[in-house]
Amino acid sequence: MLSTRGASWAKISFNHGYQNSYDPVSNPNGVWLVQDDLAQFINTHCQFDKICCTYGEGFTGTIRLRNATAKHLNAHFKPAQSIDPEQITYAAGVTGLNEVCALVTCNPYSNDSILLGRPIYGSFSKDLTMRTGVTLEYVDVGDTDQFSVDCVAAYEAGFEAAKARGINIRALLICNPHNPLGQCYPRETLIGLMRLCASKGIHIISDEIYALSVYKWDDDNRPSEKFTSIREIDPTGIIDPRQVHVLYGMSKDFGACGMRLGCIISQNTEFTNATRAICRFSSPSQFAMEIAAKILEDQEYVTGLLEKSHRLLLHGRLVAEDLLAKANISFHKKGNAGFFLWLDLAPYLPLDETNGDAWAAERLLSKRFTAAGVIMATGEAYSAANPGRFRLIFSLREYAVREGRVFWDNDLGDVVLRVDLPGRRW
Ligand SMILES: Cc1ncc(COP(=O)(O)O)c(C=O)c1O
């Protein structure tokens, strides 16, 4: 017999054991293109002291790692006010810290909620709610570009509509660069959102885990977007800096989700203290922190790694775009960040088999992809407004993109698409 929550968690999917990653030679794991380089760096640079076998400095990030992270973020995020190591708190991944944000900004089971645009990273729906007693309010921006400053009005409308239903919005969560749309928020939109949060007296939490996975188009006709951290904007006259929090981690830019390291950067001492108090439940490994510190301290290496990553991401994106164009599949063309493309497979939904229920048809299509060895996150999992969207990962070696084999990212699973989609009965 389980508790009610235990019984409901028992129905939620999770990864356990071997994941079917693809490589034609040795079947290595490999969503990210720089993992070989990183593994080599770690194997040649890391020796561990016995201190790593202890609790070390506690559960919130070693001084060495927080110093190295501050240096890294100050170099790459160009913050208006430099980031002090004391503003940084580490935990075992951004996943846990997203939950912590919900825990420390919202009261449980009291109509407290977090505002998000959609589509958005699907795991937020679990990470922020499963253990917190907090609900999520998704804002539909309709035809508005969710990165333009016009989206601010949509968020305000979402806030007011929720309020009218008795929902207390406590925070706005954005993902910048965006997962799954791969776009960066322009500075003026960030300022608009910061002003909105200031006027409503709520926190703004910016998940910037893809901050340095932004590649540049080598085509003059396609302007590259620049990543602007929310910390790059001087909050003076816009918002109390204590309402602004940033999430970052090793999982994406370094291709090292296995390290299980994420951090939150906040100028709010009370928020930071609360976060640190509960980080004991998601403490990072001392070994992982040693490795990450070693990497981040070597900024020359980091620059080289990121340059390589950007080159390979651009190549992967161009290969995927080319294959999709040949297959006549529509996708979200904007953006130059992250590892994914947002496909529109609405024309392929088997509506005739689901009595016209398009969400059921999306699930059916997804099942057929899975059975055929092609696994992509669905639009439904990413809170898409319309059915038929799928998230395709292109950050694989080219042969994998071309062959369309299975690999896994997070617990939703992602895969490159077979390109013979049109005309095929899935
Ligand atoms: C936007 C976003 N935040 C957080 C995470 C999870 O980060 P971590 O591996 O540090 O838990 C992901 C992983 O896909 C993500 O896309």
Side-chain angles (χ1 to χ4, degrees):
M1 283 298 162
L2 299 186
S3 63
T4 313
R5 68 183 173 192
S8 74
W9 293 344
K11 294 189 190 110
I12 294 175
S13 64
F14 51 86
N15 284 344
H16 183 67
Y18 175 72
Q19 306 298 331
N20 191 15
S21 299
Y22 174 72
D23 183 285
V25 183
S26 57
N27 196 31
N29 290 309
V31 178
W32 289 274
L33 297 156
V34 293
Q35 280 170 337
D36 287 341
D37 302 59
L38 194 73
Q40 199 187 13
F41 178 92
I42 293 168
N43 289 331
T44 50
H45 287 75
C46 293
Q47 288 283 316
F48 299 100
D49 187 88
K50 63 178 183 297
I51 188 87
C52 289
C53 301
T54 73
Y55 287 127
E57 295 161 24
F59 305 121
T60 58
T62 58
I63 294 170
R64 179 178 174 190
L65 177 57
R66 288 186 288 108
N67 281 337
T69 306
K71 203 169 125 197
H72 172 73
L73 296 177
N74 284 324
H76 297 277
F77 281 29
K78 302 185 180 55
Q81 276 114 23
S82 89
I83 293 172
D84 185 275
E86 263 316 298
Q87 296 170 8
I88 300 173
T89 302
Y90 262 94
V94 170
T95 300
L97 285 166
N98 271 314
E99 182 191 55
V100 167
C101 286
L103 287 168
V104 304
T105 60
C106 300
N107 291 309
Y109 309 109
S110 59
N111 285 345
D112 278 9
S113 188
I114 294 179
L115 199 65
L116 311 130
R118 67 179 187 172
I120 199 154
Y121 173 50
S123 295
F124 283 150
S125 64
K126 285 193 237 174
D127 303 346
L128 299 162
T129 65
M130 261 180 83
R131 300 193 294 185
T132 61
V134 169
T135 57
L136 301 182
E137 281 291 319
Y138 290 98
V139 170
D140 212 341
V141 293
D143 290 336
T144 310
D145 173 356
Q146 77 157 278
F147 301 92
S148 83
V149 80
D150 298 339
C151 79
V152 178
Y155 280 105
E156 174 145 34
F159 179 96
E160 293 302 335
K163 194 170 161 189
R165 284 185 280 113
I167 306 286
N168 317 310
I169 302 292
R170 298 285 194 165
L172 167 68
L173 173 60
I174 60 168
C175 186
N176 180 33
H178 194 270
N179 177 6
L181 297 178
Q183 286 188 249
C184 298
Y185 280 87
R187 187 183 177 84
E188 54 280 13
T189 306
L190 292 173
I191 293 175
L193 292 173
M194 289 161 88
R195 282 195 201 286
L196 174 71
C197 290
S199 73
K200 305 292 181 197
I202 63 174
H203 298 267
I204 181 161
I205 300 159
S206 183
D207 183 336
E208 301 185 356
I209 197 166
Y210 291 98
L212 308 180
S213 297
V214 183
Y215 47 95
K216 284 201 183 105
W217 298 116
D218 52 8
D219 172 353
D220 289 343
N221 298 321
R222 215 166 167 178
S224 299
E225 289 170 5
K226 170 188 166 299
F227 164 69
T228 305
S229 169
I230 207 156
R231 285 294 302 262
E232 194 182 313
I233 297 162
D234 184 349
T236 314
I238 301 177
I239 190 170
D240 182 335
R242 290 172 299 179
Q243 285 167 243
V244 180
H245 318 285
V246 172
L247 293 150
Y248 187 64
M250 298 301 287
S251 288
K252 308 299 172 184
D253 293 345
F254 295 90
C257 55
M259 221 180 269
R260 302 311 304 130
L261 274 182
C263 62
I264 187 148
I265 305 116
S266 174
Q267 296 176 85
N268 183 328
T269 311
E270 193 186 17
F271 178 99
T272 298
N273 286 346
T275 301
R276 289 180 179 169
I278 52 173
C279 274
R280 65 197 317 278
F281 300 111
S282 53
S283 171
S285 145
Q286 303 290 328
F287 291 95
M289 289 195 282
E290 274 298 291
I291 295 171
K294 199 74 177 173
I295 296 167
L296 295 176
E297 280 164 358
D298 192 340
Q299 281 293 310
E300 197 181 321
Y301 170 72
V302 168
T303 302
L305 188 82
L306 292 174
E307 273 170 16
K308 181 167 181 184
S309 161
H310 297 164
R311 210 170 50 245
L312 293 172
L313 283 174
L314 173 64
H315 181 69
R317 166 98 181 225
L318 292 174
V319 169
E321 284 198 349
D322 184 47
L323 294 170
L324 290 166
K326 284 187 182 131
N328 211 16
I329 294 170
S330 312
F331 55 91
H332 186 77
K333 297 212 168 53
K334 289 185 178 171
N336 46 284
F339 316 144
F340 24 74
L341 278 173
W342 188 238
L343 308 187
D344 181 1
L345 301 184
Y348 306 101
L349 291 177
L351 292 168
D352 50 336
E353 295 172 64
T354 58
N355 290 328
D357 180 338
W359 291 111
E362 182 183 289
R363 286 192 286 275
L364 183 57
L365 185 58
S366 173
K367 256 191 211 150
R368 287 185 177 154
F369 281 142
T370 306
V374 178
I375 302 166
M376 289 188 288
T378 60
E380 189 174 35
Y382 274 57
S383 304
N386 302 309
R389 305 297 193 273
F390 286 81
R391 196 187 70 153
L392 166 102
I393 295 271
F394 59 77
S395 58
L396 290 176
R397 293 181 193 118
E398 185 171 338
Y399 49 72
V401 177
R402 289 192 183 279
E403 290 181 23
R405 297 299 182 94
V406 177
F407 70 94
W408 290 82
D409 177 9
N410 51 35
D411 54 354
L412 294 166
D414 301 286
V415 75
V416 287
L417 182 75
R418 284 173 201 272
V419 291
D420 56 350
L421 184 68
R424 187 179 171 127
R425 185 79 181 159
W426 291 91

